Amino acid sequence: RVFAAFSDKAVQALLSFVQNKGGGLLLKGPVENLRDDVASLLPAKAFSAEYVGGPLRLSPNPQFIFSRKAASRLLSEGLFAPRLNTLTLMTELKKSARSALDAQLPNGKASALAAHTVGAGRVLYLSSTATWMWKLASDASKALYDDFWTQLAAFLAETGKPRFNCLNNGHKIPTDQPP
């Protein structure tokens, strides 16, 4: 929804940051009205809107984003999708994408969180915008909520390219002399 308010120049700058500088981008929520240039960044080819009326367990992938020691609580306790909410689940991922959080549905498994690389950067897609409800579900869920977002932020942040380090530290030097 937010991309509708952005100018074409602003969207291209964001896409360039992800692809060329190695930035991380988190997309979440419905994908129906997403701009084509932004939609091309999504890690999935096919989506399915699923209404969550009862408990729906989301299983983290221990070999991907949630492989760090700090994610052990997420792996042991797991997450449940926010109830009374519609999730936009990914039913078919692109070849370069990996699922990080799976939902078991009556008709099979779908991804609730997936990621892939785009140029030098990474893109994550999360199927729900109602993740704030996880924090309010119980006292224990605040710790899970914090662990979840810490893992996602670390995953997205670790791809950035280092800044250019100038050897002369901003001093003017003759070009015929070494720094």
Side-chain angles (χ1 to χ4, degrees), residues 16-86:
S16 178
F17 171 73
V18 172
Q19 294 171 339
N20 301 325
K21 182 66 177 152
L25 179 64
L26 171 67
L27 299 169
K28 62 181 190 167
V31 296
E32 297 85 33
N33 298 324
L34 200 57
R35 295 170 51 128
D36 290 340
D37 50 358
V38 178
S40 69
L41 298 177
L42 292 170
K45 294 182 195 176
F47 298 87
S48 172
E50 298 287 335
Y51 179 75
V52 181
L56 176 63
R57 185 176 179 86
L58 301 174
S59 304
N61 179 350
Q63 278 85 44
F64 192 28
I65 295 172
F66 304 106
S67 61
R68 296 169 183 83
K69 185 178 179 183
S72 62
R73 187 174 19 223
L74 279 171
L75 296 172
S76 63
E77 296 183 32
L79 289 171
F80 287 86
R83 292 176 51 187
L84 307 177
N85 184 36
T86 300

Side-chain angles (χ1 to χ4, degrees), residues 98-154:
R98 291 178 63 192
S99 181
L101 200 58
D102 291 326
Q104 188 63 45
L105 303 172
N107 56 349
K109 189 167 70 168
S111 181
L113 174 68
H116 73 139
T117 57
V118 178
R122 292 180 176 178
V123 175
L124 277 170
Y125 175 73
L126 180 61
S127 61
S128 175
T129 57
T131 55
W132 56 271
M133 292 168 46
W134 289 338
K135 188 174 179 178
L136 300 177
S138 71
D139 291 340
S141 65
K142 181 184 179 334
L144 290 174
Y145 183 89
D146 292 345
D147 290 350
F148 177 80
W149 287 107
T150 299
Q151 295 302 305
L152 292 191

